[in-house]
Amino acid sequence: MRSVALALSEGSMLFEAAAACEVFGTDHSDLADPWYSFSVCGPQGAHVGSWLRAETAHGLDALAAAHTVIVPAWRDVRADPPGELIDAVRAAHAAGARLVSLCTGAFVLAAAGLLDGRRATTHWAHADVLAARYPKVTVDAGVLFTDQDAIFTSAGKAASLDLCLHIVRIDHGATVANALARTLVVPPHRDGGQAQFIPAPVTHGRDHPLAELLPWVLDHLDQPLTVEDLARQAAMSSRNLARHFHAVTGTSPLRWLLTQRVRQAQELLESGHDSVEHIAARTGMGTAATLRRHFTRVTGLPPEAYRRTFGAR
């Protein structure tokens, strides 16, 4: 069973800690059995948020025994995190733990030197501070989360759930992650990045033209759609389509389309026994070679290996 430890300290934020507890600390063995073993580690009575005091069963030294360590958001990004937390996170990393920071928890990993030379993200409002305080970190404020060499960082608040679901998807497959997302009433995977949430001078009304296009695309993934096809369906030029896609999803039409095709292929690989060639046709990829190329780029596994790992048992 995979063990997950939540690293609390004086100054941890409530929302992100609660997100980790809900995903990893709640029994979801109806979705995948065994689920995670979960522990909360930190000093007894530490304030979490502004109102709650934590009752922890383990000290921070227990982090080193966990398979995954989650560091929730840190309250004051201009102050140094507690030394005992930094030491415990370093010890967990040295022991081989997978490290996950949620929102401004990235400041803790950065203070521990674990993000040096790596790409990382945090809440867009604090990205400049992270880059200034830790110049060895490559800060990417435009993404919802990063995943590099067993160190994960998420953007602000709700992106914490995006990252937690991403980890469930890695461990248990897309079907389990999607089912968990439905129980949480959140999207199983949001496209684009933080750019779509940063205040901008141009806003769009409720009748945005992509509101009808996106569901239409999902209903026609078996067809060899191109960007020009999407633009024609939306009754706009390809340039306008690209502009609207970036504003709404934070990514390009082609990248969004490929992501949807790969996502559908994941579900087909997990739930059935169709050949890769047949799945390529059903997802509009055309050939098995094309499916393998894009699928491996997105998931890190070729389709055959993905099916062996996450196929229906």
Side-chain angles (χ1 to χ4, degrees):
M1 179 182 291
R2 297 176 176 87
S3 59
V4 176
L6 179 65
L8 294 183
S9 64
E10 189 74 25
S12 294
M13 299 299 288
L14 179 60
F15 183 95
E16 294 77 3
C21 291
E22 180 60 37
V23 171
F24 302 106
T26 300
D27 182 12
H28 296 293
S29 55
D30 57 320
L31 302 179
D33 191 12
W35 195 243
Y36 301 90
S37 64
F38 184 76
S39 59
V40 179
C41 304
Q44 188 66 235
H47 278 98
V48 181
S50 302
W51 311 279
L52 300 181
R53 286 185 176 273
E55 291 187 5
T56 55
H58 307 279
L60 289 172
D61 58 335
L63 296 181
H67 176 266
T68 301
V69 171
I70 299 179
V71 181
W74 169 244
R75 178 179 58 199
D76 187 352
V77 299
R78 298 185 184 278
D80 293 330
E84 61 176 348
L85 176 60
I86 293 174
D87 291 341
V89 168
R90 284 176 178 155
H93 180 255
R98 182 169 59 178
L99 296 181
V100 180
S101 71
L102 304 180
C103 192
T104 53
F107 284 80
V108 176
L109 299 190
L114 301 179
L115 298 183
D116 289 356
R118 297 178 185 271
R119 177 170 164 265
T121 193
T122 187
H123 193 295
W124 60 264
H126 305 297
D128 289 345
V129 180
L130 181 64
R133 291 198 67 187
Y134 304 101
K136 293 182 180 180
V137 181
T138 302
V139 179
D140 186 346
V143 297
L144 293 177
F145 56 80
T146 65
D147 171 352
Q148 183 180 357
D149 300 330
I151 294 183
F152 303 75
T153 63
S154 89
K157 297 298 179 183
S160 301
L161 272 176
D162 290 300
L163 179 52
C164 289
L165 288 171
H166 174 66
I167 292 170
V168 171
R169 190 175 294 108
I170 291 173
D171 293 341
H172 295 290
T175 299
V176 171
N178 294 350
L180 177 57
R182 285 193 291 271
T183 68
L184 299 175
V185 199
V186 297
H189 188 289
R190 288 193 294 166
D191 297 293
Q194 292 192 86
Q196 58 192 301
F197 305 108
I198 298 174
V202 178
T203 58
H204 302 285
R206 296 168 61 183
D207 296 326
H208 192 279
L210 295 191
E212 294 183 3
L213 176 65
L214 300 186
W216 180 87
V217 173
L218 295 178
D219 288 338
H220 294 81
L221 285 178
D222 59 323
Q223 300 179 15
L225 299 173
T226 65
V227 173
E228 290 72 22
D229 293 329
L230 271 59
R232 189 161 42 250
Q233 177 67 25
M236 64 179 67
S237 68
S238 296
R239 178 175 295 182
N240 279 339
L241 180 74
R243 180 169 57 84
H244 286 303
F245 251 91
H246 192 271
V248 173
T249 72
T251 190
S252 68
L254 181 58
R255 185 175 294 276
W256 182 86
L257 178 60
L258 287 174
T259 300
Q260 308 315 308
R261 296 192 192 283
V262 169
R263 199 174 302 162
Q264 185 182 63
Q266 285 180 285
E267 296 192 3
L268 292 172
L269 286 164
E270 291 181 29
S271 61
H273 302 284
D274 289 343
S275 66
V276 173
E277 290 77 9
H278 187 62
I279 292 175
R282 289 186 61 181
T283 58
M285 292 285 195
T287 68
T290 300
L291 172 60
R292 288 190 179 96
R293 183 171 70 255
H294 292 300
F295 192 94
T296 303
R297 176 181 60 80
V298 173
T299 69
L301 290 173
E304 295 84 356
Y306 187 89
R307 170 173 275 162
R308 288 194 297 271
T309 303
F310 298 115
R313 298 171 176 82

